Amino acid sequence: MPSISIIIPTSGDSPHLEDCLSSIKKLDYNPKHIQTIVITNRDLKKTGRSFSFSRAVNLAATKARGEYFLITNDDIVFAPASLKSLVKAKKRNPNTILGGKLFDKTTHEPAAAGYTMNLLLGIIRPVFTGNKPTPCDWVSACALLLSQELWKKLQGFDERFAPGFFEDADLCLRAGTLGVKSLLIPEVELLHAQTATFNRDKSKKYEYWYRNKILFLRKHASPIKLATNLLVQYALFTPFRGLILHDGRFLPALKGLTWNLKHL
């Protein structure tokens, strides 16, 4: 039975963390082979850094001993058989990064566990786990399993994707250059509170999302695709959503673009 390090970043005030840890204790998996690492804002402050998902996971990974790393959110609840199903799927598909089948914690409606992106237009489509292993461009880091060996090859998350969004996309696409595929496994059922932390401040959420999306495209899209994407985004989508729909995204989108221009 492979050893697993479950890495849970948390700001320290999550109302969901207790449910997450309780579900880990109920997993149908030998507890001797599970290492649970909860990494908090306080842990990062000791290193002189502010909290972000990527920084927290990278710090926790230096302490992780498992053959596999399961990176998750503090608002995930695991079904008892989920970890065993993930490990079985990993043995069948060794050259992969794996995710599961997500359901909204409140409504129990299916939720996206992965995503695909058109790098030319920047259009992101959610991927819902089907009845068989479902391919995607990247697995959501709310529940992402990979080997320690692959993690070290990739040198973890790129910490520029702070405080969150697109660090998982970047990791999976970098893994893809090594021939590693991203798959969602239907037997792995998980409940998710759907970005509970970021939803407290939607303006900041949108700013980080746009900022890190552009950073992601700068890393993975060709110059022509990047230019086309920015033209479509800022000449069409952003003005429409901000000025017509009044959804609060216009100024955050401009701030996200400005950040990237300052950090070329």
Side-chain angles (χ1 to χ4, degrees), residues 89-262:
K90 183 65 174 169
K91 289 181 178 179
R92 294 193 301 268
N93 305 277
N95 203 28
T96 55
I97 292 175
L98 299 182
K101 191 170 189 176
L102 286 182
F103 297 89
D104 185 275
K105 189 176 181 181
T106 303
T107 66
H108 289 259
E109 291 292 321
Y115 298 88
T116 61
M117 179 190 277
N118 180 320
L119 290 178
L120 178 63
L121 299 177
I123 296 173
I124 299 171
R125 299 188 184 280
V127 178
F128 296 85
T129 311
N131 295 321
K132 59 182 180 180
T134 307
C136 56
D137 288 344
W138 72 85
V139 173
S140 170
C142 65
L144 181 155
L145 182 86
L146 78 169
S147 68
Q148 179 179 169
E149 180 183 6
L150 177 60
W151 176 265
K152 289 182 176 179
K153 281 183 181 178
L154 297 172
Q155 298 182 319
F157 283 135
D158 182 340
E159 295 186 5
R160 289 179 295 172
F161 291 96
F165 299 117
F166 291 96
E167 66 283 306
D168 45 9
D170 172 67
L171 183 84
C172 290
L173 263 68
R174 286 190 284 125
T177 65
L178 303 177
V180 177
K181 297 180 179 179
S182 295
L183 285 178
L184 305 176
I185 307 302
E187 297 85 2
V188 181
E189 295 190 352
L190 311 157
L191 298 178
H192 187 210
Q194 298 295 303
T195 59
T197 300
F198 280 116
N199 280 342
R200 296 174 193 170
D201 187 342
K202 287 193 174 182
S203 178
K204 279 294 183 183
K205 171 186 173 181
Y206 293 149
E207 180 183 341
Y208 297 142
W209 190 89
Y210 283 106
R211 185 183 84 182
N212 289 349
K213 179 186 178 184
I214 296 171
L215 174 59
F216 172 79
L217 289 166
R218 285 169 54 199
K219 289 189 68 175
H220 297 284
S222 68
I224 292 176
K225 288 182 178 179
L226 174 60
T228 302
N229 183 288
L230 292 177
L231 181 63
V232 171
Q233 181 72 64
Y234 285 92
L236 181 62
F237 291 157
T238 299
F240 176 77
R241 299 195 69 152
L243 302 178
I244 306 300
L245 298 181
H246 301 289
D247 64 357
R249 294 178 184 241
F250 186 72
L251 287 179
L254 291 180
K255 289 180 180 179
L257 176 61
T258 301
W259 183 92
N260 277 274
L261 292 174
K262 289 180 178 179

